Amino acid sequence: GGVDDPAQTGEGLLELLAAARFDSLILPALSDGALRFESQSCRERARGGRLPWSRKEFRQGEPFPETVLKARERGLRPWAQIELLTGGRVDLPAPCLARMRPRWTQRNALGRPSPIGADTERLFLCPNFPEVPRLFSDIAVETVLRHPVTALVLDARALRLPERPEEGLDCLCFACQEA
């Protein structure tokens, strides 16, 4: 199907899943460091209280809240998925967690935000900053309290560990240097 194919749209896909008698589906609430909904947790942490990714031009896909409601209307049970520690993509200029708080990103020996090991596409947030696990925890709680989801999937698959030890996992961010 092409772009005009209704099966390729969010609603078309929901219709197909419901017709095929699926009962659940996983919807991204936080993917590649970008939220799919307005988050009070992130707003409180954003500089000046402004979240640039709330602007339409930075949204990726259909907004999470609307998709959750549309799935429920079709008898589907939506699960929310949150990618843990993924701060953003190297190749996308769209605002993300790594750009919101660059100090929290994992860093290389030159002190620059750096992908980990074999993963050259994503930037990751360092869990040694106390604010990082707190942020993901707050986003998870906010997701289940504000949206009628059936389950929450905390996804660490995006964090690809190096296959060879020499590729290293050493983070040289501010928190790791102080530890």
Side-chain angles (χ1 to χ4, degrees):
V3 175
D4 296 325
D5 184 352
Q8 298 298 318
T9 66
E11 287 194 49
L13 181 59
L14 292 175
E15 292 293 336
L16 287 173
L17 292 173
R21 298 193 182 276
F22 277 75
D23 72 347
S24 301
L25 76 154
I26 297 175
L27 301 170
L30 173 64
S31 178
D32 285 330
L35 280 163
R36 305 288 199 253
F37 65 92
E38 286 287 328
S39 167
Q40 186 61 34
S41 303
C42 286
R43 183 175 302 287
E44 291 168 359
R45 290 169 173 88
R47 294 187 184 124
R50 292 188 317 266
L51 292 175
W53 61 78
S54 65
R55 296 192 341 234
K56 282 185 180 179
E57 63 266 27
F58 292 127
R59 290 187 187 145
Q60 299 174 11
E62 190 165 347
F64 177 76
E66 287 85 352
T67 307
V68 168
L69 294 176
K70 288 176 183 176
R72 285 227 170 257
E73 289 170 1
R74 287 161 179 79
L76 298 166
R77 298 180 320 155
W79 295 20
Q81 177 183 19
I82 294 175
E83 284 184 359
L84 297 175
L85 301 180
T86 305
R89 294 183 57 89
V90 174
D91 59 344
L92 293 177
C96 59
L97 296 176
R99 287 177 181 78
M100 180 179 85
R101 290 294 185 194
R103 182 177 166 86
W104 297 354
T105 59
Q106 294 193 350
R107 306 223 165 219
N108 61 21
L110 299 174
R112 295 187 181 125
S114 178
I116 299 176
D119 190 333
T120 58
E121 298 172 356
R122 294 178 182 86
L123 296 173
F124 293 91
L125 302 181
C126 181
N128 286 328
F129 276 102
E131 296 90 347
V132 170
R134 202 172 307 129
L135 171 65
F136 282 96
S137 174
D138 289 350
I139 289 171
V141 169
E142 182 178 3
T143 300
V144 298
L145 291 178
R146 287 185 53 203
H147 308 287
V149 295
T150 303
L152 180 66
V153 178
L154 301 176
D155 185 5
R157 295 179 299 147
L159 182 58
R160 290 188 237 149
L161 301 178
E163 293 178 17
R164 300 186 310 259
E166 63 271 13
E167 290 176 349
L169 272 180
D170 297 331
C171 175
L172 300 172
C173 73
F174 306 106
C176 289
Q177 289 180 20
E178 293 172 4

